[in-house]
Amino acid sequence: MDISVPQNTSTFGPKRHKWLWMLLFIAGIALIYWFFITEKPVYLERHAVMIEHVKKGTLTIQVDAFGTLASAQQQIITSVSAGVVKDIHYKLGSTIEPGATILRLENVDLELEYKRIKQSLAEAQAELLQLNLRQQREVLVERSIISDLEGQLATLSFRHQAQKELANQGIISELSFFETQAQVESLTGQINHAKTRTAQLQQLHQSALTVMKKRVTLTEQELDAMHTKIEQLEVSASDYGVLESLPLELGARILAGAHVATIGDRRALVAQLQVSQSQVGLVKVGQAVNVFAGQEVLQGEVIRIDPVVINHSVNVEVSLPALGDMDLRPKQSVTASIITDTIDNTHYVRTPLTGSGEQTLFLYRVDNNGQTERVPVQLGRQSGQYSEIIRGLKAGDAVVISDLSDYARNKQVVVIH
């Protein structure tokens, strides 16, 4: 006998499974939202971040720079003549005494020219001596002629006097007397003409001697100048100092006027600083400067700002005080802080790694328990390692200056432990 089993026609089972799947889906969505969207603390170790405290007081605005020391007074030595470097007696950094020979040049052409001028001088001096002797002989000849004429005139004068008395007595004719008188007057005229000619000859001789003497003097000056050039082939220092530059080597051929050496005075130095072109606008002549040279700190003053930009930097020259016994040298590297301004009664903190110049950024303020708060901070002027705080922090606040910009951008909670 067959037994019929009634079928379950209720719809409660499928509906229950449907709602169950919907609840699981909603729970999954909520879990994903919580995992990806909600803020989760980020734990950082204290030694892994830099934390600084906000201070209140006077902030000195300064521009950091670097550079080298240089001599305030330099001797730039150039070659007077062309030549070939034969000897170098000093090396860079050597102390040079006045008159010390730094190097020696050789110029064969100068030596030959010196010998030629010396020979020309000897010839000119010989010509001057010959001219003088010749002139003396010519003057002696003229004076001898005058002497003969004067002797003849004296004889005729005696005859003329004697004939005058005889003519008065009628012993001789008046014609003989007048002939003698005419001869006396003729000789007198010849003597006067000879004296005039002799005077003119002496003037001519004097002019010729003057020209010849000038020629000899000029040749002597040329010889002296050439001798000086040969002496200057030995390049020497005119004052005490340190050899800063010597751009030559043995065998090098240089031209007249070429740079041979630079000698600096260690007793008076200046600092040649390189300042970024973006900050040089803050620098003014007369501003105080702290120059750091090894263990020494020198108080200087800006005396010159170069008008041109080279490699994104501007050269600033700073005067330095008397060095005394400090062991400082030209070309020595230094760092410096140029004081451009001071701000009294202000808040400041070491410049965050993500901050530069005047801007607003988000920083993490840290309490005593390591809990942090993300706060907006407006920075003002920057001074070396420190930045002025316009608003956002107060004195004593501890703030993270490490680069946490990624956390700040995502508004994540940071815990320092």
Side-chain angles (χ1 to χ4, degrees):
M1 181 176 75
D2 296 330
I3 300 175
S4 59
V5 180
Q7 296 182 355
N8 187 7
T9 59
S10 175
T11 61
F12 177 75
K15 290 182 178 181
R16 183 178 60 185
H17 289 299
K18 181 178 180 181
W19 284 105
L20 180 62
W21 284 109
M22 291 180 65
L23 290 175
L24 290 175
F25 178 75
I26 293 172
I29 294 298
L31 182 63
I32 292 173
Y33 178 82
W34 177 84
F35 185 80
F36 288 100
I37 303 303
T38 60
E39 296 183 0
K40 299 181 293 300
V42 176
Y43 293 91
L44 300 176
E45 296 184 1
R46 185 173 291 270
H47 66 80
V49 295
M50 292 185 292
I51 300 176
E52 293 289 335
H53 288 82
V54 177
K55 300 176 182 179
K56 185 177 181 179
T58 300
L59 177 63
T60 300
I61 304 300
Q62 59 189 29
V63 174
D64 292 335
F66 66 93
T68 58
L69 298 180
S71 299
Q73 298 178 349
Q74 291 182 326
Q75 302 177 49
I76 306 299
I77 302 177
T78 58
S79 62
V80 177
S81 304
V84 177
V85 180
K86 299 299 293 183
D87 297 304
I88 298 178
H89 302 295
Y90 291 92
K91 296 182 179 180
L92 292 180
S94 300
T95 300
I96 309 296
E97 298 293 336
T101 300
I102 301 172
L103 55 84
R104 183 175 67 85
L105 302 175
E106 184 181 63
N107 189 323
V108 178
D109 294 336
L110 282 184
E111 296 176 357
L112 292 175
E113 184 66 12
Y114 176 79
K115 293 179 180 179
R116 186 194 66 77
I117 297 176
K118 189 174 183 181
Q119 179 64 30
S120 298
L121 177 59
E123 294 175 356
Q125 290 174 337
E127 289 183 17
L128 176 61
L129 180 59
Q130 292 175 1
L131 178 62
N132 193 19
L133 293 174
R134 186 168 57 252
Q135 289 178 351
Q136 290 179 7
R137 186 172 63 249
E138 292 176 354
V139 172
L140 288 174
V141 171
E142 291 297 325
R143 288 179 177 175
S144 177
I145 294 173
I146 294 173
S147 180
D148 291 340
L149 292 175
E150 288 178 343
Q152 296 176 20
L153 178 62
T155 301
L156 285 175
S157 296
F158 291 137
R159 181 182 299 175
H160 177 263
Q161 186 66 28
Q163 288 181 349
K164 181 177 181 181
E165 295 178 358
L166 293 174
N168 291 333
Q169 297 175 5
I171 298 175
I172 62 173
S173 64
E174 290 183 356
L175 178 60
S176 296
F177 172 73
F178 289 136
E179 286 179 354
T180 302
Q181 185 176 356
Q183 290 176 358
V184 169
E185 293 176 354
S186 175
L187 281 175
T188 302
Q190 292 180 25
I191 291 172
N192 291 334
H193 291 158
K195 289 182 177 180
T196 302
R197 185 173 63 250
T198 302
Q200 292 176 349
L201 181 62
Q202 288 177 331
Q203 292 179 355
L204 181 62
H205 286 173
Q206 187 62 41
S207 299
L209 282 175
T210 301
V211 172
M212 196 63 198
K213 287 180 179 178
K214 287 183 178 180
R215 176 184 168 188
V216 171
T217 302
L218 179 60
T219 308
E220 288 175 343
Q221 293 175 350
E222 291 179 351
L223 187 65
D224 291 340
M226 188 58 60
H227 184 262
T228 301
K229 285 186 177 181
I230 293 177
E231 287 184 336
Q232 290 174 338
L233 290 176
E234 292 189 353
V235 181
S236 59
S238 60
D239 199 359
Y240 173 86
V242 176
L243 187 59
E244 295 184 4
S245 173
L246 185 64
L248 299 175
E249 57 185 14
L250 290 176
R253 183 179 296 275
I254 62 175
L255 300 176
H259 178 214
V260 174
T262 300
I263 298 177
D265 189 355
R266 288 182 57 185
R267 297 167 295 186
L269 299 177
V270 296
Q272 300 287 351
L273 303 178
Q274 301 299 316
V275 179
S276 172
Q277 63 179 354
S278 62
Q279 294 184 295
V280 75
L282 303 174
V283 180
K284 307 295 181 185
V285 173
Q287 291 175 339
V289 184
N290 294 323
V291 179
F292 305 94
Q295 301 298 323
E296 305 290 347
V297 181
L298 307 174
Q299 306 297 323
E301 180 180 320
V302 176
I303 58 175
R304 189 181 67 86
I305 302 173
D306 205 53
V308 298
V309 178
I310 300 177
N311 295 329
H312 309 291
S313 298
V314 176
N315 184 71
V316 175
E317 187 171 321
V318 176
S319 63
L320 298 177
L323 301 180
D325 297 332
M326 288 184 285
D327 186 19
L328 300 177
R329 291 174 172 267
K331 304 293 185 182
Q332 181 173 339
S333 297
V334 296
T335 57
S337 297
I338 304 173
I339 301 174
T340 60
D341 196 5
T342 55
I343 306 176
D344 297 325
N345 196 28
T346 188
H347 294 85
Y348 61 93
V349 71
R350 189 179 294 273
T351 302
L353 298 182
T354 56
S356 177
E358 301 179 8
Q359 60 173 321
T360 299
L361 69 164
F362 286 92
L363 299 177
Y364 284 96
R365 183 168 52 196
V366 186
D367 61 16
N368 295 332
N369 298 323
Q371 300 296 322
T372 64
E373 178 185 3
R374 178 175 168 271
V375 294
V377 177
Q378 183 180 353
L379 300 180
R381 287 183 286 179
Q382 185 175 346
S383 173
Q385 298 179 345
Y386 293 92
S387 291
E388 177 189 16
I389 296 176
I390 303 299
R391 62 173 61 87
L393 296 172
K394 63 181 183 299
D397 284 349
V399 62
V400 178
I401 64 171
S402 299
D403 186 4
L404 302 182
S405 56
D406 291 339
Y407 302 137
R409 190 164 39 251
N410 295 325
K411 302 181 180 180
Q412 290 182 278
V413 177
V414 176
V415 178
I416 309 298
H417 64 89

